[in-house]
Amino acid sequence: MILKFLDLDSQKQNRILNAAMKEFAQKGYKNASTNEIVKEAGISKGLLFHYFAKKKDLFLYLYDYSLEIFTIEFFQRIDLVEKDIFKRIRQMALLKIDLIKKHPELYNFLYKAIIEDTPEVKEDLEQKNKQLLTNGYAKIFRDIEVKKFKETIDTDKVINIVIWTIEGFSNQILEKIKSQYPNELHYEKISKELDVYLKFLESAFYK
Amino acid sequence: MILKFLDLDSQKQNRILNAAMKEFAQKGYKNASTNEIVKEAGISKGLLFHYFAKKKDLFLYLYDYSLEIFTIEFFQRIDLVEKDIFKRIRQMALLKIDLIKKHPELYNFLYKAIIEDTPEVKEDLEQKNKQLLTNGYAKIFRDIEVKKFKETIDTDKVINIVIWTIEGFSNQILEKIKSQYPNELHYEKISKELDVYLKFLESAFYK
Amino acid sequence: MILKFLDLDSQKQNRILNAAMKEFAQKGYKNASTNEIVKEAGISKGLLFHYFAKKKDLFLYLYDYSLEIFTIEFFQRIDLVEKDIFKRIRQMALLKIDLIKKHPELYNFLYKAIIEDTPEVKEDLEQKNKQLLTNGYAKIFRDIEVKKFKETIDTDKVINIVIWTIEGFSNQILEKIKSQYPNELHYEKISKELDVYLKFLESAFYK
Amino acid sequence: MILKFLDLDSQKQNRILNAAMKEFAQKGYKNASTNEIVKEAGISKGLLFHYFAKKKDLFLYLYDYSLEIFTIEFFQRIDLVEKDIFKRIRQMALLKIDLIKKHPELYNFLYKAIIEDTPEVKEDLEQKNKQLLTNGYAKIFRDIEVKKFKETIDTDKVINIVIWTIEGFSNQILEKIKSQYPNELHYEKISKELDVYLKFLESAFYK
DNA sequence: CATGAATGAGCGTTCATTCAT
DNA sequence: AATGAATGAACGCTCATTCAT
C-alpha cells in the first residue's frame, strides 16, 4: 500500500508529506485532521487512504521517514574520528542547527512526535525510540577521550554538564529561529557564541 | 461567570478543579472529556458550563490557578537575600522538587499545559508564558553577586550554563520520578548529587 | 444507558423503535443507516447514541424487545391443556397470524433478524435463538397425545408433515398480507381454510 | 456492454463469474466488495466496470445466468410425461438435491440472492421471480393426474400439502448439508426417507 | 442553582464508480 | 482492451455546548 505511495511522482508525495507533517506538528496526533491534510495537499480524502490505510500508518511512516533523513545525514556528516569531547560536541551542535535550518518541517514534526502521548501511537514510538537511543546518543559519547580531564573529576557528570549546556544553547537558538528573528541568525555568529561556551567549559574541566 | 464558581463551597470547587486537572493532564486539552470531568467531580454537565462557559475557559482558569499557587509559594519561600548564585540556585532547585512533591496534580497539569499544542489554546498560553518569563526568571537572577566570578568571565553566559545544568539535572530527576524508581529518590541523595554539580561549576567559575 | 431510553415518554420511545425496526427490516443490519433511523424518528444523530452506545446495541435491544412481546403474548394465549395435535396447531397458527396482524412491524423485524448473517451480530442472535428454540418449539409438541394416531404410523414424521403444512399455509397467508390484498383476509375465511387442511390431515393420520 | 463480456475467452469469464458469485453469496449484495471480486478474479478494477457498468448490473447478470443454468438443466432432466404427482415430486426433489450438489456455488449464490434485501436490487429481483414462479412452479403441476385422488378431496389443497411437505423435507436436508454432518448424507438414505413421507401422503390421499 | 436530554458539526474510514493513460 | 489512481458521498460514532425544566 505504501509502495503505491512511493511510486507517485515526488512532487505529489511531498505535497502530501508536508501537509501531513505540518498538521501533525501543529496539533499532535489525535487532533490532527485528515480533512485538513487532504485539503492542504490538494487531494481527495479517498486518495489519502488509498496510500495509508489508517491515520496511524501515515503518522508512523512520517516518523520513520523524517527520522531517517535526519539520522542518515547526521551520521554522514559527523566526524567520529575526533575524540575530543568539546570538538565533537561543537560539530554536533552546529550540525544539528544546520539540519534544522535545512529541514525545519521535519524537525518540527519530529520534535512534536517525540513528546506525543496519544495511547494509540505512544507504544509504537517508544519501541522505535528505544532502538534509536541505544544505537545513537550513547554510541556517540562512548569513545570520548578522557585523559585530558582534570584527574579529580567525575567524567560522567562533566559530560552531562557539557550536554545540558549545549542543549540549552541549542534550544535558545531554536527559540529564536522559530519565533522572532530567524534572519538575524548567521552561522558565523552562532558558531562564535557556541565557542565561548565551550571555551568556558574546556578551561574549567581540562587540565 | 467564574465569580459564581468562586462563591461555591471550596470542597465542591476542589472536586471540580481536581477532576479537571487530572483529565487535562492525562489526555491533553482536546482529548480531555467534559463528560469524564463532571462524572469524576460528581456534578452535572450543565453545571460545569454554568461556571465555565467553554471548555477553554475552564482550562485557562486552571492554568492561572495552578500557576499562581506555584509561583506564590515559590516566591514566599525563596530567599532573595542570598546573592550567591550557587546558593540561590541550589535553593531554587530543591524548592522546585519540593513543590512538585507537594502538589503533584498541579505540576502534572502545568507540565502538560506548557507543551499543549491545540491551536485553540496555544496562543493564549504563549501570551501568559511570555509575561511569566519576563516577570519571573529574569528577575530572579538580576541581583546576583558578580564580584566572586573570575574577572575574564562573561557573567550572562555563566549564568546560562548554571541554569541549563540545573535544568538538565532536574529533568533527569523528574524522568526518574515519573517512570522508573520513584521510591529510590530520597531528598538527601538528590541534594548531595546536586551539590556535586554545583561544586564543579563553582570551582570552575569563581576566583 | 438503555435505562435512559426507558425513562423517555413512550411516544418518543415508539418513534425511535419503529423507525429502527422499519429500517433494519427493510435493509438488514449492516445496510440499515442510523442516519435514516434518526431522520425517520425525528431526532438528532447524537441522541440515538445517547441511548444506544452502538448500532449493535440498538439492534439487539430491538430483538429482545420484539421477541419478548411476541413470546409473552403467545404463551399467555396458547392453551397447553389441549393435547390433540390438530387442535393445538390450529390454535397456534391462528394465534400467530393474529399476532402478526397486531404487530406487523415487530414481525417484519424479527423475520429479517432471524435470517440475519452479518458476522457482527450473527453470533449474538444465535445464542439468543438457541435458548429460545430449546425453551420454545420443542416444548410445545412434547406432550402431544399420540394414541389417536393409526398404529402403523411414524409419529415424528407425521408431526413434521403437519408442521410443514401449517407453515406453508401461514406463509401463503402472510404473503397475501404483505403484498396484495391485506383487506380481503378475514379471520373467518382463514380459519375455515385452515380447517380444511387440518381435516385432511386428521382423517389421513388418525384412526 | 455485457456483449463485450460474452466475447471474452470463457476461462476469464468464469474466473470473474465465480469470484463474484462467491463474494455475493458470502456477504450479500451491499457488503460484497468489488475490490475482493477483482482481486480474486485476477483482473483490474477498471476492467470489471468495463464489462458491467454498475455493481448492480453484475449482480443481476449473475442472477439471470445462474438461474438459467439451473432451470435449463432442471427442465431438461425432469420427466413431464410422468403424471403421478408423487412420482413427479419425488423426481423433482431428488433432482433439486442433485443440482445443488453439482453446482453448489450457483446454489449458494441464488439462495442468498432470493432473500436479498438491499432496496437497490430487491425490486428487480422480485420482478424476475414473479415471472419465474408463474412460468415455473404452476406449470409443473398443471397437468397432474387427478383421477387417482379420493373423490371428496380438494385437489389444489392436496397439492399444496405435498409441496409444503417436500419443501419442509428439503430444507431439513439442506440445513444438515450446510451446518452439521454433510458427509453423513447419502443419496440412498435421503431417497428412502423421502419415500416414507410420500407413501404417507399417497396412502392418505389416493383412493 | 442544577439537571441531563438534545443538538449537529466533525471525526476516521470505506467503496462503487470514473477516467487519464 | 486494460490499468489502478482518484473521487466524494456515506457510513458509525464522539463531544462541546445549549436549553427546557
Side-chain angles (χ1 to χ4, degrees):
Chain A
M1 216 159 189
I2 287 173
L3 295 176
K4 289 183 204 162
F5 178 73
L6 297 171
D7 278 354
L8 271 181
D9 66 295
S10 62
Q11 210 215 32
K12 198 172 198 173
Q13 272 188 44
N14 283 332
R15 255 170 39 224
I16 295 173
L17 293 177
N18 287 332
M21 281 194 292
K22 193 173 152 191
E23 180 74 6
F24 281 124
Q26 230 171 72
K27 310 199 187 154
Y29 176 74
K30 196 65 174 291
N31 300 146
S33 159
T34 52
N35 276 333
E36 289 301 314
I37 293 171
V38 300
K39 207 188 294 171
E40 171 97 12
I43 60 168
S44 73
K45 198 96 171 267
L47 190 54
L48 184 65
F49 288 93
H50 186 62
Y51 295 128
F52 302 95
K54 303 175 160 298
K55 190 187 184 184
K56 184 178 170 180
D57 293 354
L58 169 60
F59 181 78
L60 293 177
Y61 175 79
L62 282 175
Y63 188 75
D64 287 339
Y65 167 80
S66 49
L67 200 55
E68 198 183 341
I69 290 185
F70 256 70
T71 16
I72 284 181
E73 198 167 339
F74 184 85
F75 281 99
Q76 268 173 358
R77 292 171 57 184
I78 195 93
D79 173 14
L80 290 172
V81 173
E82 178 60 70
K83 303 296 186 209
D84 181 283
I85 189 176
F86 295 103
K87 288 182 181 145
R88 170 86 60 90
I89 217 166
R90 188 179 184 285
Q91 260 194 76
M92 282 172 54
L94 294 175
L95 179 49
K96 184 181 160 194
I97 288 167
D98 198 47
L99 286 174
I100 293 170
K101 273 188 166 170
K102 200 169 156 193
H103 311 286
E105 343 70 40
L106 296 192
Y107 177 73
N108 285 333
F109 171 77
L110 277 175
Y111 182 81
K112 194 59 161 295
I114 282 161
I115 58 171
E116 181 61 57
D117 60 0
T118 310
E120 267 164 289
V121 294
K122 199 176 181 179
E123 203 180 344
D124 299 74
L125 288 177
E126 274 166 5
Q127 197 115 358
K128 285 171 192 289
N129 289 336
K130 201 176 292 175
Q131 292 176 14
L132 183 72
L133 286 176
T134 47
N135 290 347
Y137 229 160
K139 193 170 71 182
I140 287 174
F141 292 107
R142 198 184 299 142
D143 61 345
I144 277 305
E145 197 178 41
V146 157
K147 65 184 179 208
K148 290 187 193 162
F149 283 118
K150 290 176 179 166
E151 272 104 18
T152 53
I153 268 177
D154 178 340
T155 330
D156 286 346
K157 289 207 164 45
V158 169
I159 291 179
N160 279 340
I161 293 179
V162 177
I163 291 174
W164 292 333
T165 298
I166 263 52
E167 272 177 359
F169 177 72
S170 304
N171 290 338
Q172 203 181 58
I173 300 294
L174 293 176
E175 218 44 55
K176 286 179 188 165
I177 288 180
K178 257 192 248 179
S179 58
Q180 295 166 303
Y181 316 105
N183 298 323
E184 289 186 17
L185 293 164
H186 303 302
Y187 191 82
E188 287 283 304
K189 204 179 142 197
I190 294 173
S191 168
K192 266 187 187 154
E193 203 181 345
L194 178 58
D195 280 338
V196 177
Y197 282 104
L198 290 172
K199 279 282 165 257
F200 271 171
L201 296 169
E202 192 177 326
S203 71
F205 301 126
Y206 269 8
K207 286 175 194 168
Chain B
M1 216 160 190
I2 287 174
L3 294 177
K4 290 184 209 156
F5 177 73
L6 297 172
D7 277 353
L8 271 180
D9 66 295
S10 64
Q11 211 213 35
K12 200 170 197 175
Q13 274 187 43
N14 282 331
R15 259 170 33 225
I16 296 173
L17 294 177
N18 287 331
M21 279 194 292
K22 194 172 150 190
E23 180 74 6
F24 281 124
Q26 237 171 63
K27 310 197 186 152
Y29 176 74
K30 196 65 172 284
N31 294 141
S33 155
T34 52
N35 270 331
E36 287 303 311
I37 293 170
V38 299
K39 205 189 294 173
E40 172 98 12
I43 59 166
S44 74
K45 200 89 175 278
L47 193 54
L48 183 67
F49 285 92
H50 183 65
Y51 294 128
F52 302 96
K54 304 174 157 297
K55 192 186 184 185
K56 184 177 169 181
D57 293 353
L58 169 60
F59 181 79
L60 293 177
Y61 176 78
L62 281 175
Y63 188 76
D64 288 340
Y65 166 82
S66 50
L67 201 56
E68 197 182 341
I69 290 187
F70 256 70
T71 3
I72 284 181
E73 196 166 342
F74 185 84
F75 281 101
Q76 267 174 358
R77 291 172 58 184
I78 196 93
D79 174 14
L80 291 172
V81 173
E82 178 59 72
K83 305 295 188 207
D84 181 283
I85 188 175
F86 294 103
K87 288 182 183 147
R88 170 86 61 89
I89 216 167
R90 189 177 183 284
Q91 258 196 76
M92 282 171 55
L94 295 175
L95 180 49
K96 184 181 162 194
I97 288 167
D98 199 48
L99 286 173
I100 292 170
K101 277 187 167 169
K102 198 169 158 195
H103 309 289
E105 342 72 39
L106 297 192
Y107 177 73
N108 285 334
F109 170 76
L110 278 175
Y111 182 81
K112 192 66 161 290
I114 282 161
I115 58 171
E116 182 59 57
D117 47 30
T118 311
E120 262 166 293
V121 294
K122 200 174 182 179
E123 203 180 344
D124 299 74
L125 288 177
E126 274 165 5
Q127 197 116 357
K128 285 173 193 287
N129 290 335
K130 201 175 294 175
Q131 290 176 15
L132 183 73
L133 286 175
T134 46
N135 289 347
Y137 234 161
K139 192 171 70 184
I140 287 175
F141 293 107
R142 198 183 300 141
D143 60 346
I144 275 305
E145 195 179 43
V146 155
K147 64 181 182 209
K148 290 188 193 161
F149 285 118
K150 290 175 180 167
E151 273 104 18
T152 53
I153 267 177
D154 176 341
T155 331
D156 287 345
K157 290 210 164 42
V158 169
I159 292 178
N160 279 340
I161 292 180
V162 178
I163 291 174
W164 292 333
T165 298
I166 263 50
E167 274 178 357
F169 177 72
S170 303
N171 290 338
Q172 205 182 55
I173 300 293
L174 292 176
E175 214 49 51
K176 285 181 190 164
I177 288 179
K178 258 194 249 177
S179 59
Q180 293 167 302
Y181 316 105
N183 298 323
E184 289 184 16
L185 293 164
H186 303 303
Y187 192 82
E188 288 279 305
K189 205 178 142 197
I190 294 173
S191 168
K192 266 186 187 156
E193 204 181 345
L194 178 59
D195 281 339
V196 176
Y197 282 103
L198 291 172
K199 280 281 166 255
F200 269 170
L201 296 170
E202 193 177 327
S203 71
F205 301 126
Y206 270 9
K207 287 175 194 168
Chain C
M1 216 160 189
I2 287 174
L3 295 176
K4 289 182 203 160
F5 178 73
L6 297 173
D7 277 355
L8 271 181
D9 67 294
S10 62
Q11 211 214 35
K12 200 172 198 174
Q13 271 188 45
N14 284 331
R15 255 168 41 223
I16 295 174
L17 293 177
N18 287 331
M21 281 194 292
K22 192 173 153 190
E23 180 74 5
F24 281 124
Q26 230 171 72
K27 309 199 188 154
Y29 176 75
K30 195 64 174 291
N31 299 146
S33 158
T34 53
N35 276 333
E36 289 301 314
I37 293 171
V38 300
K39 206 189 293 170
E40 171 96 13
I43 60 168
S44 72
K45 198 96 172 268
L47 190 53
L48 184 65
F49 288 94
H50 186 60
Y51 295 128
F52 302 95
K54 302 173 163 299
K55 191 188 184 184
K56 185 178 170 179
D57 293 353
L58 169 59
F59 181 78
L60 293 177
Y61 175 78
L62 282 175
Y63 188 75
D64 287 339
Y65 167 80
S66 49
L67 201 55
E68 198 183 338
I69 290 185
F70 256 69
T71 17
I72 283 180
E73 198 167 340
F74 184 85
F75 281 100
Q76 267 174 358
R77 293 171 57 184
I78 195 95
D79 174 15
L80 290 173
V81 173
E82 179 59 71
K83 303 297 186 209
D84 182 282
I85 189 176
F86 293 104
K87 289 181 182 147
R88 169 86 61 90
I89 217 168
R90 189 178 183 283
Q91 261 194 73
M92 283 170 56
L94 295 175
L95 181 48
K96 184 181 161 195
I97 288 167
D98 198 47
L99 287 173
I100 293 170
K101 273 188 165 171
K102 200 167 154 192
H103 310 287
E105 342 71 39
L106 296 193
Y107 177 74
N108 285 333
F109 171 76
L110 276 176
Y111 182 82
K112 194 60 160 296
I114 282 161
I115 57 171
E116 182 61 57
D117 61 358
T118 310
E120 266 163 291
V121 294
K122 199 176 181 180
E123 204 180 344
D124 299 74
L125 288 177
E126 274 165 5
Q127 197 114 356
K128 287 171 192 289
N129 290 335
K130 202 177 291 174
Q131 291 175 14
L132 183 73
L133 286 176
T134 47
N135 290 347
Y137 230 161
K139 192 170 70 182
I140 286 174
F141 292 106
R142 198 184 299 141
D143 60 346
I144 277 305
E145 197 179 40
V146 155
K147 65 185 178 203
K148 289 187 193 163
F149 283 119
K150 289 176 180 166
E151 272 105 17
T152 52
I153 266 175
D154 178 338
T155 329
D156 286 346
K157 289 208 164 48
V158 168
I159 293 179
N160 279 340
I161 293 179
V162 178
I163 292 174
W164 291 334
T165 298
I166 262 52
E167 272 176 0
F169 177 72
S170 305
N171 290 337
Q172 205 182 55
I173 300 293
L174 294 175
E175 217 45 54
K176 286 180 190 166
I177 289 180
K178 257 193 248 179
S179 59
Q180 295 167 301
Y181 316 104
N183 298 323
E184 288 184 17
L185 293 164
H186 303 303
Y187 191 81
E188 287 281 305
K189 204 178 142 197
I190 294 173
S191 169
K192 265 187 190 155
E193 204 181 344
L194 178 59
D195 280 339
V196 176
Y197 282 105
L198 291 173
K199 278 283 167 256
F200 269 170
L201 297 170
E202 192 178 327
S203 70
F205 301 126
Y206 268 9
K207 286 174 196 170
Chain D
M1 219 161 188
I2 288 173
L3 295 177
K4 289 184 210 156
F5 177 72
L6 297 172
D7 277 354
L8 272 178
D9 66 295
S10 64
Q11 211 214 34
K12 200 171 197 174
Q13 274 187 41
N14 283 330
R15 258 172 33 227
I16 296 174
L17 294 176
N18 287 330
M21 279 194 293
K22 194 172 151 189
E23 180 74 4
F24 282 124
Q26 237 172 64
K27 310 196 188 155
Y29 176 75
K30 195 65 170 286
N31 294 141
S33 156
T34 52
N35 270 332
E36 286 303 311
I37 293 171
V38 299
K39 205 189 294 170
E40 170 99 11
I43 60 167
S44 74
K45 200 90 175 278
L47 193 54
L48 183 66
F49 286 91
H50 183 65
Y51 294 129
F52 302 95
K54 305 173 157 297
K55 192 187 185 182
K56 185 177 169 181
D57 293 354
L58 170 60
F59 181 77
L60 293 177
Y61 176 78
L62 282 175
Y63 187 75
D64 288 339
Y65 166 81
S66 50
L67 200 56
E68 197 182 340
I69 290 186
F70 256 70
T71 1
I72 285 180
E73 197 166 342
F74 184 84
F75 281 99
Q76 268 174 356
R77 291 172 57 185
I78 195 93
D79 174 14
L80 291 173
V81 174
E82 178 59 70
K83 304 295 186 207
D84 180 284
I85 188 177
F86 294 104
K87 289 183 180 145
R88 170 86 61 89
I89 217 167
R90 189 178 184 284
Q91 259 196 74
M92 283 170 55
L94 295 175
L95 180 49
K96 185 181 160 193
I97 289 168
D98 199 48
L99 286 174
I100 292 171
K101 277 188 166 168
K102 198 168 157 194
H103 309 287
E105 343 71 41
L106 297 192
Y107 178 74
N108 285 333
F109 170 76
L110 278 175
Y111 182 82
K112 193 64 161 291
I114 282 161
I115 58 170
E116 181 59 56
D117 47 30
T118 311
E120 262 165 294
V121 294
K122 199 174 183 180
E123 203 181 343
D124 299 74
L125 288 177
E126 273 165 5
Q127 197 116 359
K128 285 172 194 286
N129 289 335
K130 202 175 291 174
Q131 289 176 15
L132 183 72
L133 286 176
T134 45
N135 289 349
Y137 234 161
K139 193 171 72 183
I140 287 175
F141 293 107
R142 197 183 301 141
D143 60 348
I144 277 305
E145 196 178 41
V146 156
K147 65 183 179 206
K148 289 188 194 162
F149 283 119
K150 290 175 182 168
E151 273 104 20
T152 51
I153 268 177
D154 176 341
T155 329
D156 287 347
K157 291 209 163 46
V158 168
I159 292 179
N160 279 340
I161 293 180
V162 177
I163 291 174
W164 291 333
T165 299
I166 263 50
E167 273 177 358
F169 177 72
S170 304
N171 289 338
Q172 205 183 56
I173 299 294
L174 293 175
E175 215 47 51
K176 286 180 189 164
I177 288 179
K178 257 194 248 179
S179 58
Q180 293 167 303
Y181 316 106
N183 297 324
E184 288 185 17
L185 293 164
H186 303 304
Y187 192 82
E188 287 281 305
K189 204 178 143 198
I190 294 173
S191 170
K192 265 187 189 154
E193 204 181 345
L194 178 59
D195 280 340
V196 175
Y197 281 103
L198 291 173
K199 279 282 166 255
F200 269 170
L201 297 170
E202 194 179 324
S203 71
F205 301 126
Y206 269 9
K207 288 175 194 169

